[in-house]
Amino acid sequence: MARRFTIPVEKVDFSPLVAVVTDLKIYQLALKLGKMLAMDFHLTDSVMSDKGQLFPTMQAATERTRIYIIQNRVNNVLLEPKHPLVNFFVRVESRDIGAGDIVANLLGAQDIRTCIDYTNEVSDKSVLKYESIYINKLNPSQFDVVIFDFGGVILNINPQVTRYQFAQLLGTDCAAQVEKSQWLVALERGEIEWGEVVANIQQIAPKPVSELEIRNAWNAMLLNYEPERIKKLKQMRRYCRLVLLSNTNEVHYQCFADRLKEQYNITFSDLFDDVYLSHQMHLIKPDAAIFEQVLENEKKKYSPKLKKANSEFSPQRVLFVEDTAVNAQAAAQFGINTLVIERNGQFYDYFNWIE
């Protein structure tokens, strides 16, 4: 059996850098890990990250495995920028064990989705595996507004399918010309109409193609909704204001709006308090102006659904859920919290849910 801490954490005198590690949640997690792995966790001054950052931490080690429970903030200064909403994470350096195995055993295999993020890096110079698990989940009620991207977050997408369909319809060279032309980007900005795009494609196509054939190829990237996502959006809306912010166009929007109605007999107004579409705003992510406009509109409409400590709108109580890092980085410049998920991943895995 692993030895337990014998001195109450709150009574230990540490330097300011290490003192933040005495967070009760980290202490309790260390006890659980120690019992499971027969390892004695102890407080250490710091652990150096690959980027040269110092993390105050709790540490346990055997001959072949080192495990750190790492505080993510020191005096509210973020040390690990990837997930600013996470308080701490587990880092494993091991020849034998993976961080995923630890969390599965610690929290229950059925709830492995408790992880905020999971990375597995293998160094060419070492047999050690470097893995990090971000353990905190988000609470929907900690935000006044949650902004959702659409494609790859709410609706599964695969742009490669459209590229393939265009290549089959127009030939490889012509399809490449269409992609380089920026007509479709201009369509998403609302700078040109669909009819103009069709006419341009028909003009350079090596054979006659109909508007319907072009439309079907363009819509081919739009895949399916998943029922659990729809359910979780409805549930989240009880706690905060939900808005949609999508780089899209009139053709795609009509397609996925119709599909939502056909499959679930609902419209976007049943899921979101407001919808911001690039082709209507004449702006696309990651343009700074699109986030400025959304924040300005949300400030005017601010009315928290639950009693919150603050009484004024603040970007710090806004969360943006995206599958594209560059878009999230642009939003973060305005003080918006961001959560970047894997494309077509499950956003609800990152939240605690109260049924």
Side-chain angles (χ1 to χ4, degrees):
M1 288 289 292
R3 288 182 289 127
R4 298 295 184 94
F5 292 105
T6 57
I7 303 175
V9 172
E10 64 270 16
K11 295 182 179 180
V12 182
D13 184 21
F14 298 106
S15 67
L17 180 65
V18 180
V20 295
V21 186
T22 62
D23 179 277
L24 180 60
K25 292 172 69 177
I26 297 181
Y27 177 60
Q28 292 172 337
L29 180 63
L31 291 178
K32 291 181 180 180
L33 278 171
K35 181 177 180 180
M36 184 186 78
L37 300 173
M39 299 176 103
D40 182 17
F41 277 83
H42 59 277
L43 291 166
T44 59
D45 289 336
S46 62
V47 57
M48 184 75 73
S49 77
D50 296 336
K51 297 181 181 180
Q53 298 165 309
L54 288 174
F55 297 97
T57 180
M58 281 182 171
Q59 173 183 302
T62 66
E63 183 179 350
R64 299 173 65 84
T65 301
R66 291 194 300 272
I67 299 174
Y68 308 98
I69 303 175
I70 305 173
Q71 181 78 23
N72 206 33
R73 290 176 182 269
V74 176
N75 297 327
N76 209 34
V77 176
L78 184 66
L79 296 180
E80 170 57 47
K82 189 169 186 180
H83 285 295
L85 299 172
V86 177
N87 293 328
F88 63 94
F89 60 97
V90 174
R91 180 174 173 86
V92 178
E93 300 177 5
S94 176
R95 293 175 173 84
D96 301 318
I97 192 169
D101 298 325
I102 292 174
V103 173
N105 284 280
L106 180 68
L107 302 170
Q110 74 281 1
D111 196 27
I112 189 66
R113 295 175 301 180
T114 299
C115 308
I116 269 280
D117 185 49
Y118 170 65
T119 60
N120 182 9
E121 304 169 5
V122 179
S123 171
D124 294 335
K125 299 179 181 180
S126 172
V127 296
L128 289 178
K129 292 188 298 181
Y130 296 88
E131 304 184 57
S132 296
I133 294 278
Y134 296 78
I135 299 177
N136 275 14
K137 278 188 170 183
L138 308 178
N139 187 334
S141 64
Q142 74 187 95
F143 306 104
D144 292 328
V145 180
V146 178
I147 304 170
F148 278 94
D149 177 38
F150 185 72
V153 175
I154 307 301
L155 179 75
N156 289 333
I157 62 170
N158 187 347
Q160 292 297 333
V161 179
T162 281
R163 290 190 177 97
Y164 174 79
Q165 292 292 342
F166 271 140
Q168 293 296 303
L169 179 65
L170 306 171
T172 303
D173 293 340
C174 183
Q177 187 177 346
V178 170
E179 187 166 359
K180 292 178 181 179
S181 70
Q182 297 297 300
W183 296 330
L184 298 173
V185 174
L187 185 69
E188 292 199 334
R189 284 186 180 273
E191 297 172 344
I192 61 175
E193 299 292 331
W194 173 244
E196 185 177 347
V197 173
V198 171
N200 289 340
I201 293 176
Q202 289 175 329
Q203 186 174 359
I204 66 171
K207 63 179 181 180
V209 291
S210 69
E211 184 275 338
L212 180 60
E213 289 176 309
I214 297 172
R215 179 184 293 265
N216 288 340
W218 179 227
N219 286 340
M221 71 173 73
L222 307 177
L223 304 181
N224 62 296
Y225 292 101
E226 296 188 13
E228 189 65 17
R229 292 180 194 159
I230 304 301
K231 174 184 175 182
K232 293 302 185 184
L233 285 174
K234 292 179 178 179
Q235 187 174 345
M236 185 180 288
R237 200 176 178 188
R238 305 173 194 167
Y239 302 99
C240 54
R241 180 175 165 84
L242 295 192
V243 301
L244 182 69
L245 176 59
S246 178
N247 283 356
T248 190
N249 56 86
E250 57 181 302
V251 176
H252 279 175
Y253 179 73
Q254 189 62 54
C255 178
F256 56 67
D258 289 347
R259 194 171 298 174
L260 184 67
K261 181 68 174 178
E262 292 170 3
Q263 293 183 6
Y264 299 96
N265 195 31
I266 57 175
T267 66
F268 284 107
S269 62
D270 295 309
L271 298 177
F272 299 99
D273 294 281
D274 216 331
V275 174
Y276 300 97
L277 306 175
S278 62
H279 68 285
Q280 295 178 352
M281 301 174 72
H282 302 289
L283 296 166
I284 64 172
K285 298 175 290 183
D287 294 347
I290 199 169
F291 297 106
E292 290 178 333
Q293 191 171 129
V294 169
L295 286 177
E296 182 180 349
N297 290 344
E298 290 304 306
K299 184 176 181 179
K300 293 177 182 178
K301 299 177 180 181
Y302 175 66
S303 178
K305 293 192 173 185
L306 301 177
K307 292 182 179 180
K308 308 287 176 67
N310 62 306
S311 58
E312 296 182 357
F313 177 83
S314 170
Q316 281 71 40
R317 293 189 62 83
V318 176
L319 175 68
F320 180 37
V321 183
E322 252 281 1
D323 67 332
T324 305
V326 66
N327 293 340
Q329 291 165 358
Q333 298 302 310
F334 294 90
I336 299 171
N337 296 295
T338 62
L339 174 62
V340 181
I341 68 171
E342 182 183 6
R343 172 165 287 180
N344 300 331
Q346 310 305 345
F347 71 84
Y348 49 80
D349 288 348
Y350 300 87
F351 291 88
N352 277 319
W353 298 97
I354 303 174
E355 298 294 345

